[in-house]
Amino acid sequence: MKRCHHLCRLLPLWLSLVILSFSHSSYGDNVTYDHRALVINGVRRVLISGSIHYPRSTPEMWPDLIQKAKDGGLDVVETYVFWNLHEPVQGQYDFEGRKDIVKFVKTVAEAGLYVHLRIGPYVCAEWNYGGFPLWLHFIPGIKFRTDNEPFKTEMQRFTAKIVDMMKQENLYASQGGPIILSQIENEYGNIDSAYGAAAQRYIQWSASMALSLDTGVPWVMCQQSDAPDPIINTCNGFYCDQFSPNSNNKPKMWTENWSGWFLSFGGSAPYRPPQDLAFAVARFFQRGGTFQNYYMYQGGTNFGRTTGGPFIATSYDYDAPIDEYGLLNQPKWGHLRDLHKVIKKCEPALIATDPAYTSLGQNLEAHVYKTSSGACAAFLANINTQDATVKFNGKTYQLPGWSVSILPDCKNVVYNTAQINSQETTSEMRYLSSISEGTNQPLSRLSSSGWSYIKEPVGISKADAFTRNGLVEQINTTADASDYLWYSISFNITMGEPWLISGEQTLLHVESLGHVLRAFVNGYYIGGGKGSADNSKISLSKLIILDKGKNTIDLLSATVGLQNYGAFFDLSGAGVTGPVTLSANGVTFDLSPYVWTYQIGLKGEDMSLFDVSDDSASLWLSDSTLPTNVPLVWYKTQFQAPAGNDPVAIDFTGMGKGEAWINGQSIGRFWPNYTAPLSGCSDSCNYKGAYSSSKCLKKCGKPSQQLYHVPRSFLKEGANTMVLFEEEGGDPTKISFATRHTGSLCAHVSEMHPAPVNFEVYPELAVSKQKLGPMVHVTCSGPDQLINEVKFASFGTPQGTCGSYSHGKCSSTNALSVVQQACVGMNSCSVPVSTKAFGDPCRGVTKSLAIEATCSS
Ligand code: GAL
């Protein structure tokens, strides 16, 4: 305590030194830890971190995302390292473009933020095969994630490679760089019991291997309660306030606070209310935590074939504080920014001591951090769903249900997790902007005349096809070189077979491990099937008519991202492992054990039809009979990029399933006709009570993913090329382009809310903060934008949500004019929520101010 007494007084000075000297190239930071916190250059730190995965956006987007993270109050940016991106072929490395991890780390450093580098190299992350390269699976004798020499050799080699790269660039804090923390393995503790006694040895080995790499900064293992010293075991989850590390010498750290949840094709869209997310964060700091990371802070996009699975969607938006496109997800971003501000105000007290707990009643908790030098911060929590009134230090406080109030001076509530002061914005897609080649007419859809096509052959068409006796497992066969594997069998029907009669109906039955199946008989598509995120298996039964003489059954099996989670996830199979049977006249014939012909991938893939510089120009047909709604077609068109700099999306409505390339770069798999279940959704989920990934869902009955992000950097001026492979059947002329914009700005603040924390954002207010009561504050998203209209303003008891507010029973008559006067023509404005400004339309009733405004574009 003595030591802290001294340090705490120096802290403001220290903090400013840290900030000033952050480009710290000359000498390194000393990063250690103790029971309370990570300790940087001798000072314990409260650190707010957020995950942004470099390959899920583009280098062109990184600076803006990182700046928005910094503006949101983050100190640290976390990323995994994705082994299969960097070493697609054993020994051949790739660190270009979106894979330029060194550039990413440097970009974070330039913004003055720290980095947590989670090397894994198993990362889970809804990433294909959990980040493992497929070639790893084919190393003789290998067993993943256990005490196995071939595996350990490769894991060590790649981990060392990454550490060396970082060291060479002086990127560890110990060298003057931004990396203050590294992770080895990932949540192994969740599944290690399945690996028996070897699991223990593997964890010991992982720990000493990591330590031997001598990064000069601490290592963590998440969800690993037996993490060996000095590795810090950390918590992942929706709440981690109850967590404690496995030693009293380690700080309480939260490496994954799930800010929302991931989307699956065929699933509804999960979201997590900001009040609950803020509650979870506040509870963590209330109960002794000092490092917290949002997983994700910006989720981004699973470009190409990088999604894990099966069935994880291309969008990895995650309902994170920054959306997939890089726009702020409000009010989540703002509500958390306010929270981070308050937590930073509490930092001197938080780092100095453990909290002292007192009960304020059932499920009502007070935690106080009080130092001998007079710093005091208190957290008051109401874990019930009903509101409560509590007495704390002789004063009375109202605590809304499922909320935490933070008192950075132990007296005044500066923030409550359930009371959102931040503005909310609606995001909208504008469908107008594609301009087809040659004309200058804006078209929301591409005209059919602009399309050319190539039909992908049904069945075996490549020279490298091969035969096997019996049915094969898909991933072991394709090594994931493609989503696709053709299974083909031919047989003759003569008059002698009683079980098969040509011209009569025969039942074809196919059993597949998944993920998607398309069946063709004698060249005709007879139907298909698909699994789901919960069950990838397919069982297809179709009545077919066979011909006399030769018949061919072609089964196209497709994977949709390889498994990324669970014990032995690497061994989960896919494809038509059978049986495949034909039945007629009460007799069933099993085709499974016979000779099948196999083709890995599509002919069009081999020909690189998606590549702009391919030499197949003459093969593309542009006759008037553009085939639509038939399976297996490659489509190509040219288009002009939507004008301006707003993020671009393609709406794939009208298409079935496939993959899309823009100027040769894959924007991922599209699957707009896989819709979410009809039930289980609510647009305004109650944030009170424990959250789970299935608690708050949107988009029931709608396509799980209709819009697909096209990063601006994939586009160029003039003609752009789009190539699609449509596997099931679709109409590309129905595709449209859209740009993403911030729509309305809304805010709804009650008289009961604390004054704004983020005082700096109110430059137009010359009053001192003490005099401020609650305020509504809105800002246009661009610095040059001005508020052009106040669509709604009501002081009293307004109802509804952004976009559909209405006046309540009580409303002041001058609200609109007061707000108009304060806001119209301004880039941002603040309006006090008080009867002084609006008069009192209903005495004795708690009033609030709701406004909706728009900005000029
Ligand atoms: C965790 C895992 C992350 C991610 C997350 C769900 O279990 O560590 O990598 O997969 O779940 O989004």
Side-chain angles (χ1 to χ4, degrees):
M1 281 309 121
K2 278 236 170 71
R3 184 173 138 263
C4 182
H5 182 91
H6 170 71
L7 279 180
C8 295
R9 276 195 286 158
L10 283 179
L11 197 82
L13 176 68
W14 263 111
L15 280 178
S16 50
L17 282 179
V18 168
I19 291 161
L20 284 176
S21 68
F22 202 108
S23 46
H24 51 188
S25 44
S26 44
Y27 50 83
D29 287 330
N30 178 16
V31 186
T32 56
Y33 64 82
D34 65 12
H35 152 74
R36 276 302 300 143
L38 286 182
V39 177
I40 304 181
N41 291 333
V43 185
R44 289 176 178 161
R45 295 296 308 276
V46 165
L47 294 169
I48 312 284
S49 173
S51 297
I52 301 177
H53 295 157
Y54 53 96
R56 286 177 154 144
S57 55
T58 60
E60 292 76 9
M61 292 170 73
W62 295 342
D64 179 58
L65 298 179
I66 292 163
Q67 186 58 43
K68 284 173 173 153
K70 185 178 184 178
D71 295 343
L74 262 54
D75 307 292
V76 184
V77 169
E78 177 274 344
T79 184
Y80 279 130
V81 180
F82 299 89
W83 188 357
N84 53 10
L85 268 193
H86 297 305
E87 199 179 350
V89 176
Q90 192 173 15
Q92 289 179 21
Y93 295 101
D94 184 355
F95 293 97
E96 297 296 310
R98 281 201 320 276
K99 303 166 193 159
D100 193 344
I101 185 172
V102 165
K103 183 172 183 175
F104 181 77
V105 171
K106 286 183 176 171
T107 310
V108 177
E110 277 155 24
L113 301 183
Y114 293 120
V115 170
H116 175 200
L117 195 67
R118 299 171 85 197
I119 300 179
Y122 165 68
V123 297
C124 193
E126 290 68 72
W127 192 263
N128 198 43
Y129 215 42
F132 285 140
L134 253 288
W135 52 258
L136 201 61
H137 172 69
F138 295 95
I139 292 178
I142 202 159
K143 288 198 171 90
F144 286 11
R145 303 180 78 198
T146 188
D147 184 19
N148 169 275
E149 287 310 320
F151 178 75
K152 290 189 301 185
T153 304
E154 291 303 318
M155 171 165 165
Q156 173 157 12
R157 191 181 51 73
F158 181 73
T159 308
K161 162 97 188 164
I162 294 297
V163 169
D164 283 352
M165 267 179 82
M166 298 299 139
K167 277 190 187 169
Q168 264 171 30
E169 301 279 343
N170 292 324
L171 292 175
Y172 281 100
S174 49
Q175 305 170 292
I179 305 171
I180 54 165
L181 210 58
S182 265
Q183 178 177 299
I184 194 76
E185 249 296 339
N186 190 75
E187 293 195 333
Y188 189 61
N190 288 0
I191 47 103
D192 60 5
S193 58
Y195 292 82
Q200 254 292 309
R201 299 196 299 275
Y202 169 61
I203 273 307
Q204 291 291 335
W205 171 84
S206 300
S208 40
M209 185 274 283
L211 294 168
S212 75
L213 299 175
D214 206 17
T215 59
V217 301
W219 286 92
V220 303
M221 284 183 175
C222 60
Q223 296 289 95
Q224 193 70 48
S225 56
D226 57 354
D229 294 344
I231 295 195
I232 309 166
N233 65 308
T234 65
C235 183
N236 293 348
F238 289 114
Y239 306 93
C240 276
D241 54 282
Q242 309 210 7
F243 168 80
S244 47
N246 63 14
S247 147
N248 204 33
N249 302 321
K250 297 177 186 176
K252 174 167 171 170
M253 296 175 66
W254 190 359
T255 34
E256 288 183 26
N257 176 3
W258 300 319
S259 56
W261 198 244
F262 58 85
L263 175 72
S264 295
F265 286 125
S268 329
Y271 65 98
R272 186 176 185 190
Q275 296 97 325
D276 175 61
L277 181 55
F279 171 78
V281 176
R283 287 290 288 155
F284 181 71
F285 287 105
Q286 168 164 22
R287 300 187 59 190
T290 48
F291 179 103
Q292 190 271 155
N293 176 71
Y294 296 100
Y295 187 100
M296 300 295 296
Y297 196 72
Q298 194 255 353
T301 310
N302 295 313
F303 297 110
R305 299 172 56 243
T306 59
T307 80
F311 296 100
I312 289 164
T314 297
S315 168
Y316 199 60
D317 181 82
Y318 221 93
D319 193 28
I322 305 176
D323 76 11
E324 176 180 6
Y325 298 86
L327 301 185
L328 300 183
N329 175 11
Q330 293 279 45
K332 190 175 264 187
W333 181 90
H335 192 45
L336 296 174
R337 174 208 51 202
D338 293 349
L339 171 60
H340 304 152
K341 266 232 132 82
V342 190
I343 286 169
K344 284 303 165 107
K345 279 187 207 290
C346 302
E347 182 169 9
L350 251 57
I351 57 169
T353 173
D354 283 328
Y357 164 69
T358 26
S359 170
L360 304 176
Q362 204 183 3
N363 288 326
L364 299 166
E365 297 184 355
H367 288 76
V368 177
Y369 294 86
K370 194 172 179 158
T371 74
S372 47
S373 61
C376 188
F379 292 73
L380 311 183
N382 178 0
I383 307 152
N384 299 304
T385 49
Q386 303 83 26
D387 298 350
T389 305
V390 297
K391 273 224 133 125
F392 172 71
N393 281 349
K395 273 180 75 177
T396 303
Y397 295 87
Q398 305 296 328
L399 282 183
W402 201 254
S403 82
V404 177
S405 282
I406 306 180
L407 297 67
D409 60 356
C410 286
K411 291 192 197 99
N412 296 295
V413 176
V414 169
Y415 184 89
N416 176 279
T417 57
Q419 297 176 329
I420 299 180
N421 283 337
S422 164
Q423 73 182 15
E424 178 172 352
T425 51
T426 56
S427 298
E428 54 182 43
M429 286 290 178
R430 285 191 201 145
Y431 287 80
L432 47 84
S433 29
S434 158
I435 301 177
S436 72
E437 192 201 19
T439 77
N440 266 339
Q441 294 303 307
L443 296 169
S444 64
R445 289 178 181 172
L446 297 161
S447 70
S448 59
S449 59
W451 288 94
S452 54
Y453 68 94
I454 294 178
K455 287 193 170 178
E456 173 70 27
V458 171
I460 307 301
S461 61
K462 291 184 0 177
D464 59 0
F466 54 92
T467 59
R468 289 280 179 278
N469 281 326
L471 294 163
V472 299
E473 191 281 322
Q474 181 162 350
I475 300 165
N476 277 295
T477 308
T478 62
D480 202 35
S482 165
D483 279 2
Y484 300 104
L485 179 64
W486 279 108
Y487 294 69
S488 177
I489 193 166
S490 295
F491 47 88
N492 266 308
I493 298 190
T494 53
M495 296 313 279
E497 290 117 346
W499 53 273
L500 278 177
I501 299 173
S502 70
E504 287 193 15
Q505 291 201 320
T506 301
L507 184 71
L508 169 68
H509 184 80
V510 183
E511 289 288 329
S512 166
L513 296 178
H515 309 148
V516 175
L517 177 69
R518 316 245 169 244
F520 300 80
V521 173
N522 297 328
Y524 290 99
Y525 184 49
I526 55 129
K530 57 180 186 279
S532 68
D534 296 336
N535 178 9
S536 65
K537 290 190 178 160
I538 304 154
S539 186
L540 179 79
S541 290
K542 280 275 166 190
L543 284 171
I544 59 172
I545 295 184
L546 294 168
D547 294 337
K548 193 174 168 188
K550 189 182 172 196
N551 288 272
T552 302
I553 295 177
D554 294 302
L555 305 173
L556 180 63
S557 177
T559 51
V560 190
L562 303 194
Q563 184 61 256
N564 58 271
Y565 183 71
F568 309 108
F569 75 85
D570 49 302
L571 303 178
S572 47
V576 184
T577 48
V580 176
T581 58
L582 291 170
S583 314
N585 298 331
V587 183
T588 294
F589 187 79
D590 190 354
L591 292 171
S592 318
Y594 289 86
V595 175
W596 289 75
T597 306
Y598 293 95
Q599 174 181 307
I600 297 170
L602 307 171
K603 190 164 189 196
E605 288 179 303
D606 265 22
M607 296 165 67
S608 302
L609 291 182
F610 43 79
D611 203 335
V612 263
S613 58
D614 77 307
D615 45 17
S616 61
S618 60
L619 299 175
W620 290 93
L621 303 172
S622 43
D623 48 46
S624 56
T625 58
L626 182 75
T628 56
N629 300 313
V630 291
L632 306 184
V633 189
W634 294 84
Y635 296 102
K636 184 175 191 163
T637 193
Q638 304 226 303
F639 63 96
Q640 303 229 339
N645 291 317
D646 294 309
V648 178
I650 297 180
D651 184 330
F652 274 110
T653 301
M655 296 300 282
K657 173 184 179 286
E659 189 172 348
W661 293 262
I662 303 292
N663 297 324
Q665 302 211 57
S666 173
I667 60 165
R669 298 186 186 91
F670 61 82
W671 202 349
N673 73 0
Y674 205 169
T675 52
L678 289 172
S679 63
C681 288
S682 68
D683 274 335
S684 57
C685 169
N686 186 356
Y687 66 84
K688 293 176 189 170
Y691 181 76
S692 72
S693 60
S694 57
K695 183 178 171 187
C696 304
L697 301 171
K698 283 185 192 166
K699 292 220 240 165
C700 279
K702 305 223 172 84
S704 302
Q705 190 180 350
Q706 177 174 346
L707 293 160
Y708 295 75
H709 182 204
V710 184
R712 275 279 170 193
S713 61
F714 286 17
L715 297 167
K716 54 184 187 191
E717 273 197 35
N720 290 273
T721 303
M722 168 159 47
V723 174
L724 311 175
F725 175 64
E726 170 59 59
E727 165 195 320
E728 183 177 358
D731 183 351
T733 66
K734 297 225 162 78
I735 289 173
S736 40
F737 277 85
T739 53
R740 191 159 175 88
H741 304 259
T742 299
S744 289
L745 310 177
C746 293
H748 189 177
V749 172
S750 148
E751 290 179 314
M752 304 301 281
H753 284 202
V757 192
N758 201 32
F759 188 57
E760 297 89 286
V761 304
Y762 305 83
E764 75 275 21
L765 292 175
V767 281
S768 88
K769 180 151 193 226
Q770 271 64 30
K771 292 194 197 133
L772 274 184
M775 292 277 232
V776 151
H777 176 82
V778 290
T779 309
C780 298
S781 54
D784 306 329
Q785 290 185 309
L786 299 177
I787 296 169
N788 58 5
E789 191 192 350
V790 177
K791 285 184 153 174
F792 180 89
S794 181
F795 179 73
T797 53
Q799 320 270 312
T801 53
C802 183
S804 59
Y805 288 131
S806 60
H807 294 282
K809 271 195 189 139
C810 147
S811 68
S812 135
T813 48
N814 61 357
L816 189 63
S817 63
V818 169
V819 175
Q820 277 170 338
Q821 211 153 38
C823 296
V824 173
M826 312 287 282
N827 174 255
S828 71
C829 64
S830 306
V831 187
V833 182
S834 77
T835 49
K836 268 198 196 137
F838 295 100
D840 193 342
C842 44
R843 272 165 184 263
V845 174
T846 303
K847 287 163 283 288
S848 61
L849 172 63
I851 76 171
E852 181 181 349
T854 53
C855 298
S856 56
S857 43

